[in-house]
Amino acid sequence: MLKDSTAIVGIGQTEFAKRLEESELELACRAINNALEDAGIEAKEVDALGSFTFEENDEFEVARNLGFGELHFWSQAPYGGGASCCAIGQVALSIASGISEVGVVWRARKRGDPKSRMWSHTEDKVDDHWKWSRPSGLVRPADESSMLMRRYMHQYGYTREDLSFVATTLRKYANKNSVAYMCEKELTQEDYMNARMISDPLCLYDNCLESDGAIAVVLVSSKRAEKLDNKPALIHSFSQGMSSEHQLMTDYHGKDPLKSSSYVTAENLWKLSDYSPQDVDVAQIYDAFSPMIPFSLEAYGFCGEGKALEFISEGGIAENGEIPVNTSGGSLSEVYLHGMNLVVEGVRQIRGVSTSQIANAKVSLVTTCDATPNGAILFKGE
Amino acid sequence: MIKNIPVPGIEEYEKGFWEAALESKLVVQHCHDCDQPRFPPRPMCPQCHCLEYTWNQVSGEGEIWSFVVPRPPLLPVFEEISPYAVGLVSIKEYPLIRMIGRLKFNNEQNEDNFEEIIIGSEVQVSFQKISEEICLPYWVMG
């Protein structure tokens, strides 16, 4: 029912910066307005909304600012970095099933200010599952991700030098993307090796940026998309995934903690698809922390178990590599907006307008956070 | 930001764990009916859906599965003692049960010698009192 029946036809964003003066509501409105203009669709036609449970802007606030008409569907996807593809997939399902006709999904976030770091708001008493880790000093997402990377390095004989290629490869993409936060700054392996440690074995450059901005996308049926000017990015397949015994971020209690929820998403995504990993031309892989890229490459079947860092260090995710990854610079070097920048870059690759365009890209994968319940979308160009 | 070590809230189905910890004992929750062990504690057995459970004491021996060494910026209470090591430890009796805790050397001279920490090496549980109700497990390296 869903396969190829809906498409992203509009993308819009604000500037990306350490600090933007506008409120999150203003940022959301501007990004959505840009996405609707890009699609060539009137705001009053929008009747479905998708957002994140972490989003601060209410649906009705967004709707009455943009002048939307009567709405028929809205949903929010949970778990921050795991949410983008899930929010989009749910709106796509509502369009494919006939509940709604024009959907908007957005994320606006002011995260540049260090005071906005979620871990820094840890309270005196921890009542959720973090009660089993934060009192022992495992407090930040970087610590939680680092735990798995050290095990992976130990198990497969890798070092920080091997991991450095994730950050340096993504920075090269950002250097070609004029809107990327890190466009002007080069990053060498030497810079990486000398960087301050954040949670050993992860250093500064293994962490995503802390930035302000907003991004939005517009979805319609593929039939409607035919009448619009933009080349549609068809939603070919979509799935969410949560593994057995999953625990958010401290996902250490399954049979093998190196087998994340991404394995669940990937298996179903490929099952629902006409394609296999070898057919994918370009991928945008969620990267709040650099380990998530090698872990996801293995989960989605781009390389064998324990092989990802070797694959990356040999140029596998670079522009001329086997599977170019995060071609706008990703969360490490373009902007951190809970992965919505990865979605619009996945669409740009299908349109043929990326600043690191992969020639004739027809199949474009976008994933979400490896360490949370997550989801992924496989886009197809006609 | 908070000044103290954040303290875990205690649910009814977690009481057995923390009561044992106050007596320096490490226990694992088991299903009353099918005896399946589980961690973290929860109200229902995922295998047979029984809502009753027991607490079985384990030796307190374990093996380091992985560890990290956090550096600032951190909560003030951890920034003061950083760098320090936090480990994920497999319980000897149930290797698929893994618990998080500080990793400490039994010899204080070694305190900051994180290169000495080896994944797979054996550790023994110990407890640090952080509030009236909570003795927090940590792991001592040989």
Side-chain angles (χ1 to χ4, degrees):
Chain A
M1 180 184 80
L2 185 65
K3 192 193 275 183
D4 300 331
S5 67
T6 60
I8 291 185
V9 293
I11 53 178
Q13 60 195 45
T14 62
E15 309 74 40
F16 306 138
K18 179 81 185 164
R19 182 175 169 78
L20 297 173
E21 292 306 319
E22 301 158 274
S23 67
E24 286 187 352
L25 180 59
E26 288 166 299
L27 294 174
C29 291
R30 273 212 291 129
I32 294 169
N33 196 36
N34 289 342
L36 287 165
E37 277 181 10
D38 177 60
I41 290 178
E42 298 279 333
K44 62 176 190 294
E45 283 195 65
V46 174
D47 69 343
L49 296 178
S51 65
F52 292 50
T53 56
F54 284 23
E55 174 70 26
E56 298 283 339
N57 296 306
D58 277 322
E59 286 84 350
F60 73 86
E61 290 283 8
V62 165
R64 70 180 178 187
N65 272 277
L66 282 144
F68 294 158
E70 293 170 344
L71 298 193
H72 299 126
F73 180 91
W74 54 93
S75 72
Q76 294 190 335
Y79 307 126
S84 70
C85 290
C86 304
I88 293 167
Q90 287 165 22
V91 169
L93 283 168
S94 100
I95 295 172
S97 65
I99 298 170
S100 64
E101 290 186 0
V102 176
V104 160
V105 179
W106 84 93
R107 180 80 177 106
R109 195 177 194 205
K110 297 186 75 165
R111 176 55 210 278
D113 183 350
K115 289 196 188 96
S116 68
R117 294 167 179 160
M118 283 171 66
W119 62 263
S120 72
H121 299 283
T122 301
E123 293 183 6
D124 286 315
K125 189 149 112 359
V126 187
D127 283 318
D128 52 23
H129 71 282
W130 275 296
K131 68 175 73 171
W132 299 103
S133 51
R134 289 193 173 169
S136 298
L138 194 81
V139 176
R140 306 161 302 178
D143 304 315
E144 295 162 345
S145 185
S146 184
M147 188 71 86
L148 294 174
M149 184 36 83
R150 184 179 304 268
R151 175 71 192 196
Y152 181 87
M153 286 173 163
H154 167 82
Q155 207 159 304
Y156 299 110
Y158 289 119
T159 61
R160 281 189 64 221
E161 277 93 340
D162 299 310
L163 183 60
S164 72
F165 289 95
V166 176
T168 55
T169 305
L170 266 56
R171 183 59 62 88
K172 287 196 187 96
Y173 287 122
N175 293 148
K176 291 175 66 182
N177 172 12
S178 64
V179 305
Y181 186 103
M182 287 296 174
C183 177
E184 305 294 328
K185 289 191 182 157
E186 293 193 357
L187 179 70
T188 64
Q189 191 180 45
E190 196 186 350
D191 297 331
Y192 179 94
M193 293 307 293
N194 293 330
R196 72 186 163 93
M197 299 306 286
I198 298 294
S199 188
D200 196 342
L202 300 190
C203 72
L204 181 66
Y205 298 114
D206 294 308
N207 289 258
C208 62
L209 303 168
E210 293 183 326
S211 45
D212 290 3
I215 292 178
V217 299
V218 179
L219 291 91
V220 294
S221 70
S222 333
K223 212 169 168 191
R224 171 80 191 268
E226 285 170 16
K227 297 178 196 125
L228 298 167
D229 291 341
N230 285 329
K231 183 177 179 185
L234 297 173
I235 295 181
H236 177 69
S237 58
F238 157 68
S239 181
Q240 297 182 215
M242 193 195 301
S243 58
S244 174
E245 290 288 323
H246 178 91
Q247 180 170 282
L248 183 62
M249 288 307 293
T250 45
D251 190 14
Y252 307 147
H253 302 296
K255 211 169 177 186
D256 178 359
L258 294 179
K259 293 269 159 64
S260 65
S261 292
S262 300
Y263 282 81
V264 180
T265 300
E267 191 182 350
N268 205 35
L269 190 80
W270 298 128
K271 199 176 88 187
L272 293 163
S273 160
D274 297 341
Y275 302 107
S276 61
Q278 300 90 279
D279 301 317
V280 177
D281 297 305
V282 59
Q284 314 300 322
I285 293 178
Y286 185 83
D287 57 341
F289 304 101
S290 60
M292 293 172 174
I293 291 185
F295 295 164
S296 301
L297 282 173
E298 294 181 13
Y300 283 87
F302 294 109
C303 40
E305 207 174 299
K307 298 287 183 206
L309 283 187
E310 189 186 331
F311 178 82
I312 293 167
S313 66
E314 288 169 353
I317 65 169
E319 202 167 341
N320 50 4
E322 223 168 288
I323 178 76
V325 167
N326 294 8
T327 47
S328 62
S331 312
L332 296 183
S333 280
E334 184 190 26
V335 65
Y336 185 52
L337 264 171
H338 271 152
M340 279 295 278
N341 58 321
L342 306 176
V343 173
V344 292
E345 175 64 7
V347 172
R348 282 191 293 260
Q349 285 288 355
I350 291 290
R351 290 184 179 184
V353 298
S354 167
T355 49
S356 294
Q357 183 60 41
I358 305 308
N360 302 316
K362 286 192 174 62
V363 182
S364 162
L365 173 70
V366 180
T367 76
T368 58
C369 184
D370 184 62
T372 66
N374 57 34
I377 291 176
L378 196 60
F379 288 111
K380 175 184 153 184
E382 284 178 308
Chain B
M1 284 192 271
I2 59 166
K3 296 279 178 281
N4 305 318
I5 295 176
V7 172
I10 305 178
E11 299 291 339
E12 184 61 35
Y13 53 82
E14 294 163 340
K15 274 186 178 162
F17 183 89
W18 295 112
E19 282 168 8
L22 280 176
E23 295 170 14
S24 297
K25 289 175 188 161
L26 190 67
V27 295
V28 168
Q29 190 186 30
H30 282 244
C31 174
H32 175 272
D33 284 4
C34 76
D35 202 39
Q36 164 106 333
R38 59 191 195 242
F39 185 84
R42 66 201 73 161
M44 182 178 275
C45 171
Q47 188 162 276
C48 75
H49 299 172
C50 170
L51 286 162
E52 287 174 64
Y53 41 82
T54 57
W55 299 95
N56 293 10
Q57 189 176 348
V58 289
S59 62
E61 292 168 49
E63 198 177 272
I64 301 174
W65 190 86
S66 187
F67 68 98
V68 301
V69 182
R71 309 266 176 169
L74 287 156
L75 294 177
V77 66
F78 296 121
E79 194 147 318
E80 260 171 47
I81 57 164
S82 113
Y84 56 92
V86 191
L88 182 61
V89 170
S90 282
I91 303 304
K92 185 182 177 189
E93 290 84 350
Y94 310 106
L96 291 184
I97 288 185
R98 305 179 193 90
M99 295 184 190
I100 290 162
R102 287 277 306 281
L103 289 180
K104 296 185 186 178
F105 291 96
N106 66 357
N107 169 0
E108 279 184 15
Q109 287 167 350
N110 253 339
E111 211 174 336
D112 287 339
N113 217 350
F114 303 113
E115 288 76 32
E116 301 285 309
I117 305 176
I118 296 162
I119 289 179
S121 56
E122 288 175 8
V123 290
Q124 174 69 44
V125 78
S126 193
F127 294 87
Q128 177 197 4
K129 189 152 187 162
I130 60 166
S131 77
E132 277 305 303
E133 290 175 305
I134 300 289
C135 274
L136 200 61
Y138 65 91
W139 304 94
V140 182
M141 296 178 280

